[in-house]
Amino acid sequence: MRMKFLAIAALALATTAAPCLSADSNMKNLDFDLSKVTRDNFYDIVVPAAKAEGTVTMYNFAGSFADTWKELITRFEAKYGIKVAYSDVKGDQANQQLIAVQAAGQDSPVDAYFAGGGSYPLLSAKGVVGNIALTKILPNMANYNPELAETVFGKAHGGSFPLVHLNQTAIGYDSAFVKAEDVPKSFEELLVWAEKNPKRLGVTLPAKGGSGGGFIYSVALNYLTGDCRAKLTDYNQTLQQAEDWAMDTECLDPVWDYYRRLLKVAELTNGNADTLNLINNQQLHMGTVWEDQVMSFLGTKQLPDSFRVTLLEKGQVGSGDAMFVPANAKNVAAALLLIDMAMSKEFQLWKLENKASRSPRADVTNDLMPKAVQEHVLPQSVYPRLSLPAFWDMSTALAEALDEKVLNQ
């Protein structure tokens, strides 16, 4: 009965939806000619269409970003007079909702979706991602990092799934207890420091937090070379292929050796927040962290002002999250306008200063931040030089193999 109802609903929508006005687009509800939109004429075409729509619905999958997007919404509504209907959602549930709606041919419940960067393969395969080259037509993406403009974590998206927020895993430490000359600069120095300071280093369990998942992948990138490293960074692998390789290969023996030594002297924590809380309580002096989460904890006085972050030589994993327009969005013009403002230099700089949310814009850098804020983010001497792209399926595979080969031995 449910399938019959959905089929009837889909037929009704097909007869009432506005025609698509761009031959190259999979958008269902366009009422302006998307094919004619360029950076130069973007506002001339999109602003009148967006104001005619009058509203835009936004989803946010990241609970910690709620106040960030409310700042954007305040600016957007004041400038354009377009109402934003905003909802915090759970990413996995929202993804499945959009997939079901797309399969049924129904209008999307959301027009602009801030989604996990790793969601692209699933959402694009199910036809959910609107085929709009955002990085090519949005004026505020003119200074977008060209390395990110058409791919996300090794997957080509043609500009339709641009990251609007970058985050970085790092090593965090309390400078009240760790002297500047003792701060590790490499993975080997980190191990030596941990052995000299037993149970003062926290390593987040990879299965419990992304800082730990990023760390294990970063360790592997540090030690693997040649064909082994090529396999480690082959984004064409499925999760199952990555899992099979990680469980069977001898390439990762140096990684397991590293963890066996490290975990004899380090504390394995149960999550990103757990690591930071233990440092705040002075049970740990150093740990694996997310740079943006550190800023959030500092803002709520959950970390001491003496807390600092750094990156290890050969690099550590950076990640990010995207904002896109679903193919069945109802208010496409307003969604484009909202994403464009999210990528404005003013908002991206506000986001960096207040959240340590790194920007894909090339012109939003540390030196534009107040000096007091610069003390708590990664210095320009290490970022972006030592930021490496994430491969979360491989990170998951490494975490599972770690359980089998090290933790459960």
Side-chain angles (χ1 to χ4, degrees), residues 124-388:
S124 61
K126 298 298 184 179
V128 171
V129 179
N131 183 21
I132 307 176
L134 300 171
T135 57
K136 296 182 176 68
I137 65 171
L138 268 58
N140 279 316
M141 288 191 178
N143 287 308
Y144 200 86
N145 183 334
E147 294 181 4
L148 302 174
E150 297 197 21
T151 61
V152 57
F153 306 142
K155 305 294 184 182
H157 60 71
S160 65
F161 198 83
L163 300 177
V164 298
H165 153 70
L166 303 180
N167 51 5
Q168 179 64 46
T169 64
I171 300 299
Y173 62 97
D174 188 343
S175 63
F177 297 97
V178 184
K179 297 178 181 178
E181 60 268 25
D182 294 332
V183 176
K185 295 182 175 60
S186 68
F187 288 91
E188 291 78 11
E189 289 185 11
L190 180 69
L191 181 57
V192 170
W193 186 91
E195 290 175 335
K196 289 182 177 178
N197 300 272
K199 299 302 179 181
R200 293 300 190 181
L201 171 68
V203 178
T204 306
L205 185 66
K208 295 288 188 178
S211 66
F215 183 75
I216 192 171
Y217 187 59
S218 301
V219 171
L221 288 170
N222 179 75
Y223 283 105
L224 271 58
T225 60
D227 291 342
C228 291
R229 185 183 176 89
K231 190 71 174 180
L232 186 72
T233 58
D234 180 5
Y235 288 92
N236 292 319
Q237 295 173 91
T238 65
L239 174 59
Q240 186 62 57
Q241 289 171 328
E243 289 172 334
D244 292 343
W245 177 76
M247 202 65 72
D248 296 336
T249 185
E250 295 180 357
C251 288
L252 294 169
D253 287 351
V255 176
W256 312 140
D257 290 342
Y258 184 89
Y259 265 86
R260 288 186 187 101
R261 283 184 61 187
L262 187 66
L263 296 182
K264 287 180 180 178
V265 291
E267 193 72 36
L268 196 61
T269 74
N270 286 316
N272 303 313
D274 188 32
T275 302
L276 293 178
N277 287 331
L278 289 169
I279 294 174
N280 188 49
N281 293 332
Q282 299 182 8
Q283 295 178 51
L284 300 176
H285 294 163
M286 188 180 298
T288 56
V289 302
W290 284 105
E291 182 190 28
D292 57 337
Q293 189 179 34
V294 165
M295 184 65 79
S296 295
F297 271 56
L298 284 166
T300 53
K301 308 299 182 184
Q302 295 180 78
L303 281 173
D305 194 58
S306 52
F307 196 86
R308 301 290 185 269
V309 287
T310 189
L311 294 177
L312 302 175
E313 288 298 333
K314 293 194 179 179
Q316 292 184 250
V317 164
S319 188
D321 302 304
M323 192 178 288
F324 74 98
V325 184
N328 285 4
K330 291 180 288 187
N331 302 296
V332 178
L336 295 179
L337 207 56
L338 182 65
I339 297 173
D340 180 66
M341 180 176 277
M343 280 307 303
S344 67
K345 184 175 182 179
E346 294 77 15
F347 181 70
Q348 288 285 312
L349 182 57
W350 181 91
K351 190 162 58 66
L352 175 62
E353 290 181 4
N354 290 275
K355 292 292 182 179
S357 169
R358 295 291 177 169
S359 177
R361 290 185 62 115
D363 56 353
V364 175
T365 54
N366 281 27
D367 56 318
L368 299 178
M369 301 166 64
K371 293 293 185 182
V373 178
Q374 290 185 38
E375 291 183 353
H376 296 299
V377 299
L378 290 164
Q380 288 180 306
S381 60
V382 299
Y383 185 90
R385 179 175 66 88
L386 296 178
S387 178
L388 301 175

Side-chain angles (χ1 to χ4, degrees), residues 99-132:
I99 290 169
V101 166
Q102 178 72 21
Q106 297 175 318
D107 284 345
S108 170
V110 60
D111 303 307
Y113 180 17
F114 179 60
S119 297
Y120 178 72
L122 172 64
L123 294 177
S124 61
K126 298 298 184 179
V128 171
V129 179
N131 183 21
I132 307 176

